[in-house]
Amino acid sequence: MSRRMLTVVTLAAGLCLSVSTVAEGAVDQRAITTVGTGQVAVHPADASSDSSIQAAVNAAHQAAIPLALADARVEAQLIAQASGLSLGPLQAVSEQTNGPFGPFFGPFGPGRFGPGKFCGVVSTPIFAPARPGQRRRVVRVVRHRRCFPPPTDIVQLAVTFAVT
């Protein structure tokens, strides 16, 4: 058997295997999948404590999940009515974590000082007064601790409903 023929046979076997795998794990064809979004403000008890900010972000995340699910249900209901179908039971839910930073940060999002870290040391340059025609120059650098809590937590859910 030639090398080219072996390659063709291998590719054909791989395609058959992948098609059967997709058919076994496929969702019912009579379904509507929508994405719902929930957004809740983050209010930490102590805005200068990393653990307090993390607890507030976690609480906001938990509160945003039902909002995202309700948003997805409303959207699916509109789509079902527009297509002359009726919305059935919930089939699947998955959280969409691919935001601007990818799936790397989880529910705490990208803190300014690393994943889930919202407090840290920042440096502030102190400039000398500049004379006309000259550039400003840094006299010293002051280091101090700052916290940057996120204003909101956003949850996106992909929700699949059966339709009849």
Side-chain angles (χ1 to χ4, degrees), residues 80-113:
Q81 285 177 352
S83 24
L85 300 168
S86 62
L87 200 61
L90 183 78
Q91 286 187 330
V93 178
S94 66
E95 186 170 0
Q96 304 295 303
T97 57
N98 288 332
F101 300 101
F104 307 110
F105 295 105
F108 294 122
R112 179 152 179 184
F113 301 100

PDB file of all heavy atoms in Angstrom, residues 80-113:
ATOM      1  N   ALA A  80     -38.923  31.420  20.007  1.00  0.00           N
ATOM      2  CA  ALA A  80     -39.896  30.340  19.820  1.00  0.00           C
ATOM      3  C   ALA A  80     -41.217  30.895  19.279  1.00  0.00           C
ATOM      4  O   ALA A  80     -41.809  30.317  18.352  1.00  0.00           O
ATOM      5  CB  ALA A  80     -40.127  29.607  21.136  1.00  0.00           C
ATOM      6  N   GLN A  81     -41.693  32.004  19.825  1.00  0.00           N
ATOM      7  CA  GLN A  81     -42.946  32.602  19.352  1.00  0.00           C
ATOM      8  C   GLN A  81     -42.819  33.067  17.908  1.00  0.00           C
ATOM      9  O   GLN A  81     -43.737  32.888  17.105  1.00  0.00           O
ATOM     10  CB  GLN A  81     -43.347  33.771  20.241  1.00  0.00           C
ATOM     11  CG  GLN A  81     -43.909  33.351  21.570  1.00  0.00           C
ATOM     12  CD  GLN A  81     -44.218  34.554  22.458  1.00  0.00           C
ATOM     13  OE1 GLN A  81     -43.885  35.687  22.155  1.00  0.00           O
ATOM     14  NE2 GLN A  81     -44.857  34.277  23.597  1.00  0.00           N
ATOM     15  N   ALA A  82     -41.674  33.662  17.568  1.00  0.00           N
ATOM     16  CA  ALA A  82     -41.463  34.151  16.206  1.00  0.00           C
ATOM     17  C   ALA A  82     -41.415  33.005  15.203  1.00  0.00           C
ATOM     18  O   ALA A  82     -41.782  33.176  14.037  1.00  0.00           O
ATOM     19  CB  ALA A  82     -40.179  34.965  16.131  1.00  0.00           C
ATOM     20  N   SER A  83     -40.979  31.825  15.634  1.00  0.00           N
ATOM     21  CA  SER A  83     -40.907  30.695  14.715  1.00  0.00           C
ATOM     22  C   SER A  83     -42.115  29.763  14.809  1.00  0.00           C
ATOM     23  O   SER A  83     -42.132  28.710  14.200  1.00  0.00           O
ATOM     24  CB  SER A  83     -39.624  29.896  14.902  1.00  0.00           C
ATOM     25  OG  SER A  83     -39.053  30.018  16.140  1.00  0.00           O
ATOM     26  N   GLY A  84     -43.120  30.132  15.591  1.00  0.00           N
ATOM     27  CA  GLY A  84     -44.326  29.337  15.684  1.00  0.00           C
ATOM     28  C   GLY A  84     -44.175  28.086  16.537  1.00  0.00           C
ATOM     29  O   GLY A  84     -44.923  27.132  16.371  1.00  0.00           O
ATOM     30  N   LEU A  85     -43.231  28.074  17.436  1.00  0.00           N
ATOM     31  CA  LEU A  85     -43.008  26.925  18.310  1.00  0.00           C
ATOM     32  C   LEU A  85     -43.335  27.311  19.743  1.00  0.00           C
ATOM     33  O   LEU A  85     -43.517  28.480  20.062  1.00  0.00           O
ATOM     34  CB  LEU A  85     -41.541  26.480  18.223  1.00  0.00           C
ATOM     35  CG  LEU A  85     -41.042  26.060  16.839  1.00  0.00           C
ATOM     36  CD1 LEU A  85     -39.527  25.929  16.849  1.00  0.00           C
ATOM     37  CD2 LEU A  85     -41.699  24.765  16.413  1.00  0.00           C
ATOM     38  N   SER A  86     -43.407  26.302  20.602  1.00  0.00           N
ATOM     39  CA  SER A  86     -43.580  26.598  22.022  1.00  0.00           C
ATOM     40  C   SER A  86     -42.347  26.117  22.778  1.00  0.00           C
ATOM     41  O   SER A  86     -41.771  25.079  22.455  1.00  0.00           O
ATOM     42  CB  SER A  86     -44.853  25.944  22.567  1.00  0.00           C
ATOM     43  OG  SER A  86     -44.759  24.541  22.460  1.00  0.00           O
ATOM     44  N   LEU A  87     -41.972  26.886  23.771  1.00  0.00           N
ATOM     45  CA  LEU A  87     -40.757  26.599  24.529  1.00  0.00           C
ATOM     46  C   LEU A  87     -41.003  25.439  25.489  1.00  0.00           C
ATOM     47  O   LEU A  87     -41.991  25.408  26.205  1.00  0.00           O
ATOM     48  CB  LEU A  87     -40.338  27.851  25.303  1.00  0.00           C
ATOM     49  CG  LEU A  87     -38.897  27.927  25.767  1.00  0.00           C
ATOM     50  CD1 LEU A  87     -37.951  27.883  24.587  1.00  0.00           C
ATOM     51  CD2 LEU A  87     -38.675  29.201  26.552  1.00  0.00           C
ATOM     52  N   GLY A  88     -40.075  24.485  25.490  1.00  0.00           N
ATOM     53  CA  GLY A  88     -40.176  23.322  26.360  1.00  0.00           C
ATOM     54  C   GLY A  88     -39.249  23.448  27.557  1.00  0.00           C
ATOM     55  O   GLY A  88     -38.833  24.558  27.920  1.00  0.00           O
ATOM     56  N   PRO A  89     -38.902  22.324  28.163  1.00  0.00           N
ATOM     57  CA  PRO A  89     -38.059  22.350  29.361  1.00  0.00           C
ATOM     58  C   PRO A  89     -36.605  22.697  29.046  1.00  0.00           C
ATOM     59  O   PRO A  89     -36.142  22.577  27.913  1.00  0.00           O
ATOM     60  CB  PRO A  89     -38.168  20.926  29.910  1.00  0.00           C
ATOM     61  CG  PRO A  89     -38.492  20.094  28.726  1.00  0.00           C
ATOM     62  CD  PRO A  89     -39.323  20.963  27.824  1.00  0.00           C
ATOM     63  N   LEU A  90     -35.902  23.099  30.078  1.00  0.00           N
ATOM     64  CA  LEU A  90     -34.484  23.414  29.995  1.00  0.00           C
ATOM     65  C   LEU A  90     -33.697  22.129  29.736  1.00  0.00           C
ATOM     66  O   LEU A  90     -33.939  21.110  30.384  1.00  0.00           O
ATOM     67  CB  LEU A  90     -34.045  24.049  31.314  1.00  0.00           C
ATOM     68  CG  LEU A  90     -32.613  24.521  31.415  1.00  0.00           C
ATOM     69  CD1 LEU A  90     -32.473  25.842  30.702  1.00  0.00           C
ATOM     70  CD2 LEU A  90     -32.238  24.680  32.862  1.00  0.00           C
ATOM     71  N   GLN A  91     -32.760  22.164  28.775  1.00  0.00           N
ATOM     72  CA  GLN A  91     -31.963  20.984  28.456  1.00  0.00           C
ATOM     73  C   GLN A  91     -30.519  21.095  28.935  1.00  0.00           C
ATOM     74  O   GLN A  91     -29.968  20.132  29.435  1.00  0.00           O
ATOM     75  CB  GLN A  91     -31.950  20.729  26.945  1.00  0.00           C
ATOM     76  CG  GLN A  91     -33.226  20.168  26.417  1.00  0.00           C
ATOM     77  CD  GLN A  91     -33.091  19.778  24.956  1.00  0.00           C
ATOM     78  OE1 GLN A  91     -32.319  20.380  24.213  1.00  0.00           O
ATOM     79  NE2 GLN A  91     -33.841  18.773  24.548  1.00  0.00           N
ATOM     80  N   ALA A  92     -29.915  22.269  28.751  1.00  0.00           N
ATOM     81  CA  ALA A  92     -28.498  22.412  29.103  1.00  0.00           C
ATOM     82  C   ALA A  92     -28.185  23.863  29.438  1.00  0.00           C
ATOM     83  O   ALA A  92     -28.801  24.787  28.901  1.00  0.00           O
ATOM     84  CB  ALA A  92     -27.616  21.949  27.945  1.00  0.00           C
ATOM     85  N   VAL A  93     -27.216  24.048  30.333  1.00  0.00           N
ATOM     86  CA  VAL A  93     -26.735  25.376  30.706  1.00  0.00           C
ATOM     87  C   VAL A  93     -25.222  25.312  30.792  1.00  0.00           C
ATOM     88  O   VAL A  93     -24.669  24.367  31.355  1.00  0.00           O
ATOM     89  CB  VAL A  93     -27.287  25.835  32.078  1.00  0.00           C
ATOM     90  CG1 VAL A  93     -26.729  27.193  32.460  1.00  0.00           C
ATOM     91  CG2 VAL A  93     -28.785  25.869  32.075  1.00  0.00           C
ATOM     92  N   SER A  94     -24.544  26.315  30.240  1.00  0.00           N
ATOM     93  CA  SER A  94     -23.091  26.405  30.420  1.00  0.00           C
ATOM     94  C   SER A  94     -22.707  27.872  30.539  1.00  0.00           C
ATOM     95  O   SER A  94     -23.286  28.738  29.890  1.00  0.00           O
ATOM     96  CB  SER A  94     -22.335  25.750  29.261  1.00  0.00           C
ATOM     97  OG  SER A  94     -22.540  26.464  28.071  1.00  0.00           O
ATOM     98  N   GLU A  95     -21.748  28.131  31.405  1.00  0.00           N
ATOM     99  CA  GLU A  95     -21.291  29.503  31.609  1.00  0.00           C
ATOM    100  C   GLU A  95     -20.261  29.848  30.555  1.00  0.00           C
ATOM    101  O   GLU A  95     -19.334  29.081  30.304  1.00  0.00           O
ATOM    102  CB  GLU A  95     -20.698  29.669  33.006  1.00  0.00           C
ATOM    103  CG  GLU A  95     -20.349  31.108  33.304  1.00  0.00           C
ATOM    104  CD  GLU A  95     -19.993  31.350  34.761  1.00  0.00           C
ATOM    105  OE1 GLU A  95     -20.012  30.396  35.552  1.00  0.00           O
ATOM    106  OE2 GLU A  95     -19.708  32.505  35.088  1.00  0.00           O
ATOM    107  N   GLN A  96     -20.441  31.000  29.940  1.00  0.00           N
ATOM    108  CA  GLN A  96     -19.515  31.472  28.911  1.00  0.00           C
ATOM    109  C   GLN A  96     -18.404  32.250  29.590  1.00  0.00           C
ATOM    110  O   GLN A  96     -18.639  33.339  30.096  1.00  0.00           O
ATOM    111  CB  GLN A  96     -20.248  32.355  27.895  1.00  0.00           C
ATOM    112  CG  GLN A  96     -21.429  31.684  27.247  1.00  0.00           C
ATOM    113  CD  GLN A  96     -21.010  30.515  26.388  1.00  0.00           C
ATOM    114  OE1 GLN A  96     -20.217  30.670  25.476  1.00  0.00           O
ATOM    115  NE2 GLN A  96     -21.512  29.342  26.700  1.00  0.00           N
ATOM    116  N   THR A  97     -17.202  31.691  29.623  1.00  0.00           N
ATOM    117  CA  THR A  97     -16.097  32.350  30.316  1.00  0.00           C
ATOM    118  C   THR A  97     -15.104  32.988  29.366  1.00  0.00           C
ATOM    119  O   THR A  97     -14.091  33.507  29.791  1.00  0.00           O
ATOM    120  CB  THR A  97     -15.336  31.354  31.216  1.00  0.00           C
ATOM    121  OG1 THR A  97     -14.887  30.264  30.412  1.00  0.00           O
ATOM    122  CG2 THR A  97     -16.222  30.857  32.331  1.00  0.00           C
ATOM    123  N   ASN A  98     -15.373  32.943  28.075  1.00  0.00           N
ATOM    124  CA  ASN A  98     -14.445  33.541  27.126  1.00  0.00           C
ATOM    125  C   ASN A  98     -14.751  35.017  26.958  1.00  0.00           C
ATOM    126  O   ASN A  98     -15.499  35.418  26.092  1.00  0.00           O
ATOM    127  CB  ASN A  98     -14.511  32.837  25.774  1.00  0.00           C
ATOM    128  CG  ASN A  98     -13.889  31.478  25.820  1.00  0.00           C
ATOM    129  OD1 ASN A  98     -13.000  31.247  26.629  1.00  0.00           O
ATOM    130  ND2 ASN A  98     -14.333  30.585  24.978  1.00  0.00           N
ATOM    131  N   GLY A  99     -14.155  35.817  27.827  1.00  0.00           N
ATOM    132  CA  GLY A  99     -14.286  37.262  27.738  1.00  0.00           C
ATOM    133  C   GLY A  99     -13.066  37.840  27.050  1.00  0.00           C
ATOM    134  O   GLY A  99     -12.356  37.158  26.326  1.00  0.00           O
ATOM    135  N   PRO A 100     -12.780  39.094  27.282  1.00  0.00           N
ATOM    136  CA  PRO A 100     -11.616  39.712  26.651  1.00  0.00           C
ATOM    137  C   PRO A 100     -10.303  39.106  27.104  1.00  0.00           C
ATOM    138  O   PRO A 100      -9.294  39.250  26.438  1.00  0.00           O
ATOM    139  CB  PRO A 100     -11.715  41.174  27.063  1.00  0.00           C
ATOM    140  CG  PRO A 100     -12.598  41.180  28.256  1.00  0.00           C
ATOM    141  CD  PRO A 100     -13.517  40.011  28.118  1.00  0.00           C
ATOM    142  N   PHE A 101     -10.283  38.379  28.234  1.00  0.00           N
ATOM    143  CA  PHE A 101      -9.059  37.790  28.733  1.00  0.00           C
ATOM    144  C   PHE A 101      -9.061  36.275  28.610  1.00  0.00           C
ATOM    145  O   PHE A 101      -8.211  35.607  29.161  1.00  0.00           O
ATOM    146  CB  PHE A 101      -8.831  38.184  30.197  1.00  0.00           C
ATOM    147  CG  PHE A 101      -8.733  39.661  30.376  1.00  0.00           C
ATOM    148  CD1 PHE A 101      -9.793  40.384  30.852  1.00  0.00           C
ATOM    149  CD2 PHE A 101      -7.583  40.330  30.012  1.00  0.00           C
ATOM    150  CE1 PHE A 101      -9.716  41.749  30.995  1.00  0.00           C
ATOM    151  CE2 PHE A 101      -7.492  41.697  30.150  1.00  0.00           C
ATOM    152  CZ  PHE A 101      -8.552  42.417  30.637  1.00  0.00           C
ATOM    153  N   GLY A 102     -10.041  35.695  27.915  1.00  0.00           N
ATOM    154  CA  GLY A 102     -10.091  34.256  27.748  1.00  0.00           C
ATOM    155  C   GLY A 102     -10.637  33.556  28.977  1.00  0.00           C
ATOM    156  O   GLY A 102     -11.144  34.184  29.899  1.00  0.00           O
ATOM    157  N   PRO A 103     -10.514  32.233  29.006  1.00  0.00           N
ATOM    158  CA  PRO A 103     -11.106  31.461  30.096  1.00  0.00           C
ATOM    159  C   PRO A 103     -10.180  31.289  31.291  1.00  0.00           C
ATOM    160  O   PRO A 103     -10.287  30.338  32.021  1.00  0.00           O
ATOM    161  CB  PRO A 103     -11.361  30.112  29.417  1.00  0.00           C
ATOM    162  CG  PRO A 103     -10.249  29.999  28.442  1.00  0.00           C
ATOM    163  CD  PRO A 103     -10.018  31.401  27.938  1.00  0.00           C
ATOM    164  N   PHE A 104      -9.259  32.212  31.517  1.00  0.00           N
ATOM    165  CA  PHE A 104      -8.192  31.990  32.481  1.00  0.00           C
ATOM    166  C   PHE A 104      -8.472  32.497  33.885  1.00  0.00           C
ATOM    167  O   PHE A 104      -7.751  32.180  34.795  1.00  0.00           O
ATOM    168  CB  PHE A 104      -6.899  32.650  31.985  1.00  0.00           C
ATOM    169  CG  PHE A 104      -6.530  32.227  30.602  1.00  0.00           C
ATOM    170  CD1 PHE A 104      -6.623  33.108  29.558  1.00  0.00           C
ATOM    171  CD2 PHE A 104      -6.140  30.926  30.350  1.00  0.00           C
ATOM    172  CE1 PHE A 104      -6.299  32.711  28.280  1.00  0.00           C
ATOM    173  CE2 PHE A 104      -5.822  30.522  29.079  1.00  0.00           C
ATOM    174  CZ  PHE A 104      -5.895  31.424  28.036  1.00  0.00           C
ATOM    175  N   PHE A 105      -9.497  33.306  34.083  1.00  0.00           N
ATOM    176  CA  PHE A 105      -9.618  33.986  35.359  1.00  0.00           C
ATOM    177  C   PHE A 105     -10.774  33.529  36.230  1.00  0.00           C
ATOM    178  O   PHE A 105     -10.828  33.864  37.388  1.00  0.00           O
ATOM    179  CB  PHE A 105      -9.705  35.496  35.147  1.00  0.00           C
ATOM    180  CG  PHE A 105      -8.449  36.049  34.555  1.00  0.00           C
ATOM    181  CD1 PHE A 105      -8.393  36.427  33.239  1.00  0.00           C
ATOM    182  CD2 PHE A 105      -7.306  36.140  35.318  1.00  0.00           C
ATOM    183  CE1 PHE A 105      -7.229  36.924  32.691  1.00  0.00           C
ATOM    184  CE2 PHE A 105      -6.133  36.628  34.781  1.00  0.00           C
ATOM    185  CZ  PHE A 105      -6.100  37.013  33.469  1.00  0.00           C
ATOM    186  N   GLY A 106     -11.715  32.791  35.707  1.00  0.00           N
ATOM    187  CA  GLY A 106     -12.803  32.289  36.532  1.00  0.00           C
ATOM    188  C   GLY A 106     -13.710  33.402  37.019  1.00  0.00           C
ATOM    189  O   GLY A 106     -13.739  34.492  36.463  1.00  0.00           O
ATOM    190  N   PRO A 107     -14.455  33.165  38.091  1.00  0.00           N
ATOM    191  CA  PRO A 107     -15.453  34.141  38.519  1.00  0.00           C
ATOM    192  C   PRO A 107     -14.870  35.415  39.115  1.00  0.00           C
ATOM    193  O   PRO A 107     -15.565  36.406  39.219  1.00  0.00           O
ATOM    194  CB  PRO A 107     -16.262  33.376  39.570  1.00  0.00           C
ATOM    195  CG  PRO A 107     -15.350  32.323  40.064  1.00  0.00           C
ATOM    196  CD  PRO A 107     -14.487  31.955  38.892  1.00  0.00           C
ATOM    197  N   PHE A 108     -13.607  35.418  39.526  1.00  0.00           N
ATOM    198  CA  PHE A 108     -13.052  36.624  40.133  1.00  0.00           C
ATOM    199  C   PHE A 108     -12.509  37.598  39.104  1.00  0.00           C
ATOM    200  O   PHE A 108     -12.131  38.697  39.431  1.00  0.00           O
ATOM    201  CB  PHE A 108     -11.943  36.263  41.134  1.00  0.00           C
ATOM    202  CG  PHE A 108     -12.463  35.524  42.316  1.00  0.00           C
ATOM    203  CD1 PHE A 108     -11.978  34.284  42.631  1.00  0.00           C
ATOM    204  CD2 PHE A 108     -13.464  36.057  43.102  1.00  0.00           C
ATOM    205  CE1 PHE A 108     -12.457  33.597  43.721  1.00  0.00           C
ATOM    206  CE2 PHE A 108     -13.961  35.374  44.188  1.00  0.00           C
ATOM    207  CZ  PHE A 108     -13.457  34.141  44.496  1.00  0.00           C
ATOM    208  N   GLY A 109     -12.454  37.211  37.861  1.00  0.00           N
ATOM    209  CA  GLY A 109     -12.008  38.112  36.817  1.00  0.00           C
ATOM    210  C   GLY A 109     -10.550  38.494  36.975  1.00  0.00           C
ATOM    211  O   GLY A 109      -9.872  38.079  37.903  1.00  0.00           O
ATOM    212  N   PRO A 110     -10.061  39.263  36.040  1.00  0.00           N
ATOM    213  CA  PRO A 110      -8.665  39.653  36.096  1.00  0.00           C
ATOM    214  C   PRO A 110      -8.458  40.801  37.073  1.00  0.00           C
ATOM    215  O   PRO A 110      -8.724  41.945  36.747  1.00  0.00           O
ATOM    216  CB  PRO A 110      -8.347  40.066  34.671  1.00  0.00           C
ATOM    217  CG  PRO A 110      -9.659  40.544  34.147  1.00  0.00           C
ATOM    218  CD  PRO A 110     -10.719  39.725  34.836  1.00  0.00           C
ATOM    219  N   GLY A 111      -8.039  40.514  38.267  1.00  0.00           N
ATOM    220  CA  GLY A 111      -7.714  41.583  39.213  1.00  0.00           C
ATOM    221  C   GLY A 111      -6.510  42.359  38.696  1.00  0.00           C
ATOM    222  O   GLY A 111      -5.731  41.867  37.894  1.00  0.00           O
ATOM    223  N   ARG A 112      -6.359  43.555  39.146  1.00  0.00           N
ATOM    224  CA  ARG A 112      -5.259  44.393  38.649  1.00  0.00           C
ATOM    225  C   ARG A 112      -3.893  43.808  39.002  1.00  0.00           C
ATOM    226  O   ARG A 112      -2.919  44.034  38.300  1.00  0.00           O
ATOM    227  CB  ARG A 112      -5.396  45.789  39.250  1.00  0.00           C
ATOM    228  CG  ARG A 112      -4.303  46.712  38.814  1.00  0.00           C
ATOM    229  CD  ARG A 112      -4.733  48.117  38.812  1.00  0.00           C
ATOM    230  NE  ARG A 112      -3.643  48.975  38.401  1.00  0.00           N
ATOM    231  CZ  ARG A 112      -3.709  50.269  38.378  1.00  0.00           C
ATOM    232  NH1 ARG A 112      -4.806  50.868  38.734  1.00  0.00           N
ATOM    233  NH2 ARG A 112      -2.690  50.984  37.997  1.00  0.00           N
ATOM    234  N   PHE A 113      -3.825  43.034  40.088  1.00  0.00           N
ATOM    235  CA  PHE A 113      -2.546  42.500  40.546  1.00  0.00           C
ATOM    236  C   PHE A 113      -2.445  40.998  40.320  1.00  0.00           C
ATOM    237  O   PHE A 113      -1.602  40.340  40.908  1.00  0.00           O
ATOM    238  CB  PHE A 113      -2.349  42.846  42.024  1.00  0.00           C
ATOM    239  CG  PHE A 113      -2.366  44.326  42.258  1.00  0.00           C
ATOM    240  CD1 PHE A 113      -3.503  44.955  42.733  1.00  0.00           C
ATOM    241  CD2 PHE A 113      -1.259  45.102  41.978  1.00  0.00           C
ATOM    242  CE1 PHE A 113      -3.528  46.321  42.934  1.00  0.00           C
ATOM    243  CE2 PHE A 113      -1.273  46.469  42.174  1.00  0.00           C
ATOM    244  CZ  PHE A 113      -2.415  47.089  42.653  1.00  0.00           C
TER     245      PHE A 113
END
